[in-house]
């Protein structure tokens, strides 16, 4: 399996090269040259395996330059109870009639990002070895809160790497900020940006594609790579849990092999839902992919009209990991939907950069309508949903997951579709404790963040994840705050080049 770039189909690299480079030199994203297929029998067989082996099975179709031993080295180290609080790694909660919560937050940082970022460092160091790269790998991350912490935990003290994380100063939850500021490890750095997530991400992308910076690093025995979902090594682990969830439903007798399911994903950068799209096109029987957004609803409008327009107000919401107006991974979807037309992608994404807006062709609009549904909700509706699920089912979900539940409920009411449905549950409710507690109690409370956690524990009967409980006594190590214009200079200074 080779990988092409969305902005130049003639680029052809191995998975080890795609993973170490992160983004293609001309700014495109790497995509596998074809989507490997799984038969229904193979999917069923996957259900009999433990999670690490399910992952290895899926990876063997994409990372064909890795040996079986290399793949198992990665999966066995990443997906164990050393890092995850449950045996199953991801858990399916059978809660509502025909509706299942795919809990992806039992890892060390309590968000679904761990599913990919626990394994990415293994992929990256294994890839570097395979292609005889003797450079230090510098990971730059732009985060809306969860990726940053998950990447820091994944890469801390990993030999041959260092990691620097940028987050929007006022765009993350207090718990997320605390998690990052207290990060341990000798090769880590954390810095706040006076701006929003898109500013952080644009800054990182600009540094990645700056030739003089690249040369400077090379001269000093270093190279950049990415832990954002622009890196294929971030995306492919996410395909696994959709295959796994389907196999699990078959195994549990909830569905018959071959039955279709819907998948609902609370979406920001379009990575998680793109992984579901890949799972579908590998052979997982899927009816609709339902894209759920908060009030930053650029994706809802895009899927419903075919016009992507980022020229709109940006809102800070109670689901901050979805406060994004430029969804990077859409580029991969459109590359596939245009039949891998790199010229078309260059045109649209050129327009996005210059005018903040583009409109896709009628053909692509039809494809979007066939595969996707989209909806959004505001903060008040998000909190109402947390409250009503708790009242009805005794289940406590986080703010992002609640957006997905609300959009799904609206979809169901509008269409009458009774297809069994998997909702991606992307974070522990403890991570967004202020909003979750307010939703549960129906009123705001001025107790501190940790007392809120204790209060949620009392109400939800959910165990407090040890990683969050420990935060209380950790010293803060990082307090830098910079202007977005200074990101490049900051990086070079910190690297000493
Ligand atoms: C990152 C994140 C999302 C959005 O996922 P994308 O892959 O960016 O679409 C949703 N919920 C939570 C909790 C997240 O951390």
């Amino acid at each position: 399996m080779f990988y092409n770039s969305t902005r130049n189909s003639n680029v052809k690299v191995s998975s080890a090269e795609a993973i170490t480079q992160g983004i293609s030199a001309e700014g495109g994203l790497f995509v596998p040259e074809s989507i490997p297929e799984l038969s229904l029998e193979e999917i069923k067989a996957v259900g009999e395996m433990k999670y690490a082996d399910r992952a290895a099975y899926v990876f063997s179709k994409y990372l064909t330059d890795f040996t079986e031993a290399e793949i198992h080295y990665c999966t066995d180290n990443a997906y164990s109870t050393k890092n995850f609080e449950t045996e199953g790694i991801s858990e399916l909660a059978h809660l509502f009639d025909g509706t299942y919560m795919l809990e992806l937050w039992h890892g060390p940082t309590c968000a679904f990002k761990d599913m990919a970022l626990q394994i990415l460092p293994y992929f990256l160091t294994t890839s570097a070895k395979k292609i005889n790269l003797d450079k230090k790998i510098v990971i730059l991350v732009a985060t809306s809160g969860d990726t940053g912490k998950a990447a820091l935990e994944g890469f801390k003290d990993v030999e041959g790497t260092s990691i620097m994380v940028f987050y929007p100063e006022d765009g993350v939850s207090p718990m997320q900020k605390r998690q990052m500021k207290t990060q341990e490890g000798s090769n880590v750095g954390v810095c706040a940006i006076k701006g929003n997530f898109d500013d952080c991400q644009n800054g990182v992308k600009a540094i990645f594609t700056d030739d003089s910076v690249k040369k400077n690093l090379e001269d000093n025995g270093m190279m950049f790579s990415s832990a954002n979902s622009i890196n294929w090594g971030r995306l492919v682990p996410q395909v696994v849990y959709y295959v796994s969830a389907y196999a699990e439903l078959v195994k549990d007798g909830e569905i018959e092999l071959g039955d279709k399911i819907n998948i609902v994903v609370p979406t920001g950068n379009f990575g998680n839902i793109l992984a579901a799209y890949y799972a579908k096109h590998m052979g997982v029987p899927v009816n609709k992919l339902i894209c759920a957004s908060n009030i930053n609803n650029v994706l809802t409008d895009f899927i419903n009209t075919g016009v992507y327009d980022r020229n709109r107000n940006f809102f800070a919401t109670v689901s901050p990991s979805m406060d994004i107006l430029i969804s990077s991974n859409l580029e991969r979807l459109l590359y596939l939907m245009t039949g891998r037309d790199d010229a078309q992608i260059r045109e649209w994404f050129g327009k996005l950069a210059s005018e903040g807006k583009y409109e896709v062709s009628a053909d692509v609009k039809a494809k979007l309508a066939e595969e996707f549904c989209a909806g959004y909700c505001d903060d008040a509706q998000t909190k109402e949903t947390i409250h009503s699920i708790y009242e009805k089912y005794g289940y406590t979900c986080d703010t992002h997951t609640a957006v997905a539940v609300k959009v799904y409920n609206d979809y169901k009411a509008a269409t009458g579709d009774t297809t069994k449905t998997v909702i991606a549950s992307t974070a522990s409710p403890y991570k967004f404790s202020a909003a979750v507690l307010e939703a549960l109690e129906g009123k705001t409370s001025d107790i501190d963040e940790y007392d809120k956690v204790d209060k949620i524990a009392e109400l939800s009967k959910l165990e407090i994840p040890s990683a969050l409980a420990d935060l209380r006594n950790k010293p803060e190590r990082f307090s830098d705050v910079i202007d977005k214009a200074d990101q490049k200079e900051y990086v070079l200074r910190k690297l000493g080049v």
Side-chain angles (χ1 to χ4, degrees):
M1 175 76 77
F2 286 94
Y3 291 76
N4 307 126
S5 163
T6 52
R7 298 194 194 182
N8 180 357
S9 295
N10 294 323
V11 168
K12 187 173 174 179
V13 300
S14 67
S15 80
E17 287 167 316
I19 290 169
T20 46
Q21 288 173 36
I23 189 168
S24 187
E26 79 299 328
L29 306 185
F30 291 115
V31 287
E33 60 188 354
S34 64
I35 300 182
E37 282 179 28
L38 293 175
S39 67
L40 288 175
E41 287 310 315
E42 280 178 289
I43 294 172
K44 187 176 173 204
V46 159
E48 302 301 321
M49 304 172 186
K50 66 175 167 102
Y51 193 87
D53 294 339
R54 293 177 184 180
Y57 196 82
V58 172
F59 297 155
S60 71
K61 309 276 180 185
Y62 285 99
L63 314 180
T64 53
D65 51 334
F66 281 53
T67 64
E68 212 179 312
E70 284 167 342
I71 288 179
H72 279 279
Y73 161 75
C74 297
T75 54
D76 290 345
N77 276 297
Y79 299 126
S80 81
T81 47
K82 203 169 70 220
N83 309 321
F84 288 82
E85 293 204 324
T86 66
E87 209 55 62
I89 309 299
S90 70
E91 299 293 328
L92 259 187
H94 300 198
L95 277 182
F96 319 73
D97 300 335
T99 307
Y100 310 87
M101 295 296 225
L102 177 58
E103 295 178 352
L104 301 168
W105 40 264
H106 296 290
T109 75
C110 312
F112 85 90
K113 307 291 198 295
D114 289 326
M115 300 298 295
L117 283 160
Q118 280 298 305
I119 200 162
L120 183 63
Y122 292 103
F123 278 166
L124 202 53
T125 49
T126 305
S127 297
K129 222 181 274 168
K130 291 180 75 62
I131 58 175
N132 297 318
L133 203 76
D134 56 358
K135 296 191 184 98
K136 177 168 159 183
I137 299 172
V138 179
I139 305 291
L140 288 190
V141 182
T143 186
S144 55
D146 288 331
T147 296
K149 178 61 185 180
L152 288 161
E153 275 302 306
F155 281 96
K156 78 171 176 208
D157 296 327
V158 172
E159 213 174 304
T161 73
S162 74
I163 172 163
M164 210 176 287
V165 170
F166 296 97
Y167 68 89
E169 187 185 12
D170 300 317
V172 300
S173 83
M175 203 55 100
Q176 289 176 317
K177 199 180 263 194
R178 208 48 214 135
Q179 278 186 312
M180 289 189 277
K181 286 182 148 190
T182 58
Q183 179 63 42
E184 293 166 353
S186 58
N187 62 338
V188 303
V190 173
C191 178
I193 299 284
K194 291 181 200 159
N196 61 32
F197 170 73
D198 293 313
D199 296 323
C200 297
Q201 176 157 269
N202 286 339
V204 165
K205 273 194 190 163
I207 296 169
F208 276 143
T209 47
D210 183 321
D211 284 335
S212 72
V213 176
K214 206 160 155 185
K215 172 89 176 44
N216 190 342
L217 256 74
E218 253 166 41
D219 293 345
N220 287 280
M222 294 182 231
M223 70 176 280
F224 284 129
S225 190
S226 164
N228 281 102
S229 52
I230 54 176
N231 193 322
W232 179 252
R234 248 301 287 285
L235 213 68
V236 69
Q238 298 181 224
V239 178
V240 174
Y241 47 73
Y242 294 112
V243 177
S244 167
Y246 185 88
E248 193 100 5
L249 288 173
V250 172
K251 187 180 165 190
D252 294 350
E254 298 289 325
I255 56 171
E256 296 287 333
L257 187 64
D259 285 355
K260 287 188 175 178
I261 58 168
N262 295 321
I263 299 177
V264 191
V265 186
T267 306
N269 224 347
F270 210 77
N272 205 6
I273 194 164
L274 183 72
Y277 176 89
Y278 266 93
K280 175 180 177 184
H281 288 265
M282 287 182 81
V284 173
V286 174
N287 175 40
K288 282 285 179 203
L289 295 166
I290 300 170
C291 176
S293 300
N294 64 28
I295 192 91
N296 294 297
N297 58 356
V298 63
L299 283 169
T300 316
D301 289 346
F302 174 68
I303 289 171
N304 291 334
T305 67
V307 178
Y308 195 98
D309 186 358
R310 63 150 303 187
N311 302 307
R312 57 179 73 207
N313 289 331
F314 175 89
F315 301 100
T317 73
V318 293
S319 45
S321 302
M322 294 154 64
D323 292 347
I324 292 174
L325 291 179
I326 302 178
S327 299
S328 299
N329 272 295
L330 202 54
E331 180 165 340
R332 284 191 167 108
L333 178 76
L334 296 179
Y335 182 69
L336 296 179
M337 285 189 162
T338 55
R340 300 172 184 263
D341 185 345
D342 54 352
Q344 183 65 80
I345 296 300
R346 286 196 300 275
E347 186 198 322
W348 288 340
F349 285 81
K351 273 195 183 155
L352 180 65
S354 62
E355 299 160 34
K357 185 175 170 177
Y358 61 90
E359 177 167 8
V360 296
S361 61
D363 178 47
V364 169
K365 284 180 197 173
K367 284 184 180 148
L368 286 169
E370 191 185 312
E371 306 244 11
F372 291 92
C373 278
Y376 73 97
C377 72
D378 65 18
D379 279 359
Q381 293 169 316
T382 304
K383 289 181 208 162
E384 273 162 32
T385 304
I386 293 173
H387 187 84
S388 72
I389 292 177
Y390 175 71
E391 289 287 317
K392 263 197 194 145
Y393 308 101
Y395 186 80
T396 307
C397 73
D398 98 291
T399 46
H400 305 75
T401 308
V403 168
V405 173
K406 167 68 177 153
V407 168
Y408 174 59
N409 286 342
D410 290 350
Y411 165 83
K412 213 171 159 180
T415 60
D417 182 5
T418 54
T419 306
K420 295 199 171 161
T421 296
V422 168
I423 298 179
S425 174
T426 50
S428 158
Y430 288 109
K431 244 187 139 163
F432 303 95
S433 44
V436 168
L437 183 63
E438 187 190 328
L440 292 178
E441 295 192 312
K443 61 177 181 8
T444 54
S445 147
D446 51 14
I447 56 178
D448 85 12
E449 199 65 16
Y450 298 100
D451 291 339
K452 284 179 183 164
V453 165
D454 291 341
K455 192 80 214 224
I456 293 173
E458 224 179 281
L459 294 169
S460 70
K461 313 278 187 276
L462 267 179
E463 207 172 312
I464 303 173
S466 54
L468 293 183
D470 293 348
L471 274 185
R472 194 168 224 156
N473 303 314
K474 280 201 175 160
E476 286 196 355
R477 295 181 63 205
F478 301 101
S479 56
D480 287 352
V481 183
I482 62 168
D483 283 323
K484 61 183 178 189
D486 298 335
Q487 221 168 328
K488 177 165 132 186
E489 181 274 330
Y490 181 88
V491 168
L492 295 177
R493 180 157 51 81
K494 285 286 173 179
L495 292 175
V497 300

